[in-house]
């Protein structure tokens, strides 16, 4: 499955669950929440968390948590792109071009 196929499936699933109707401002808040959870997962993996109320996890479990949170962040980004009818290929190409233009004098 490629990214566009996944986005199409995700949009249909969100519509089925009645999650798609949230406006982009609310969706952005969901994205922010997920980025915070990703930050917490990366922190746990990189420097640990000194919390007696949390069970200890192996590095493999911590890495799986990072993967899960990256998926949640990606899902919210894909829904936002769909809400604004933005094409993923166009987004990626524009981003690549921006980076290349920014650093074109460095060779």
């Amino acid at each position: 499955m490629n990214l566009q196929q996944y986005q199409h499936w995700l949009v249909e699933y969100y519509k089925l669950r009645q999650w798609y109707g949230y406006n982009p401002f609310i969706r952005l808040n969901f994205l922010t929440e997920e980025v915070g959870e990703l930050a917490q997962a990366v922190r746990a993996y990189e420097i640990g968390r000194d919390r007696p109320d949390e069970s200890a996890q192996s590095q493999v479990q911590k890495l799986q948590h990072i993967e899960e949170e990256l998926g949640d962040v990606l899902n919210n980004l894909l829904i936002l792109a769909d809400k604004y009818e933005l094409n993923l290929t166009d987004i990626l190409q524009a981003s690549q071009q921006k980076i290349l233009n920014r650093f074109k004098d460095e060779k």
Side-chain angles (χ1 to χ4, degrees):
M1 172 182 316
N2 67 37
L3 195 55
Q4 289 176 326
Q5 290 169 325
Y6 180 78
Q7 182 188 31
H8 177 74
W9 171 84
L10 184 70
V11 166
E12 293 306 312
Y13 188 79
Y14 270 47
K15 287 178 179 177
L16 179 69
R17 300 287 305 176
Q18 299 178 346
W19 297 338
Y20 190 84
Y22 293 112
N23 69 45
F25 186 75
I26 292 172
R27 180 62 46 203
L28 184 60
N29 284 295
F30 291 153
L31 172 60
T32 302
E33 179 181 343
E34 295 301 343
V35 169
E37 291 174 11
L38 174 59
Q40 186 179 48
V42 169
R43 175 186 170 190
Y45 186 87
E46 294 296 333
I47 64 173
R49 289 176 51 84
D50 187 16
R51 295 280 306 262
D53 60 335
E54 294 178 356
S55 59
Q57 293 183 323
S58 69
Q59 288 298 92
V60 170
Q61 289 172 311
K62 291 175 186 177
L63 193 56
Q64 288 171 338
H65 190 207
I66 290 171
E67 184 177 44
E68 176 185 337
E69 296 306 335
L70 280 168
D72 292 344
V73 168
L74 181 59
N75 286 346
N76 279 284
L77 289 172
L78 293 174
I79 294 295
L80 275 170
D82 190 76
K83 289 266 186 191
Y84 288 108
E85 299 178 358
L86 297 172
N87 181 283
L88 297 179
T89 301
D90 294 343
I91 292 169
L92 295 175
Q93 287 174 341
S95 182
Q96 180 185 39
Q97 195 58 52
K98 179 179 83 172
I99 291 168
L100 291 172
N101 288 341
R102 184 177 293 158
F103 298 101
K104 66 182 173 195
D105 294 331
E106 289 185 8
K107 288 190 180 186

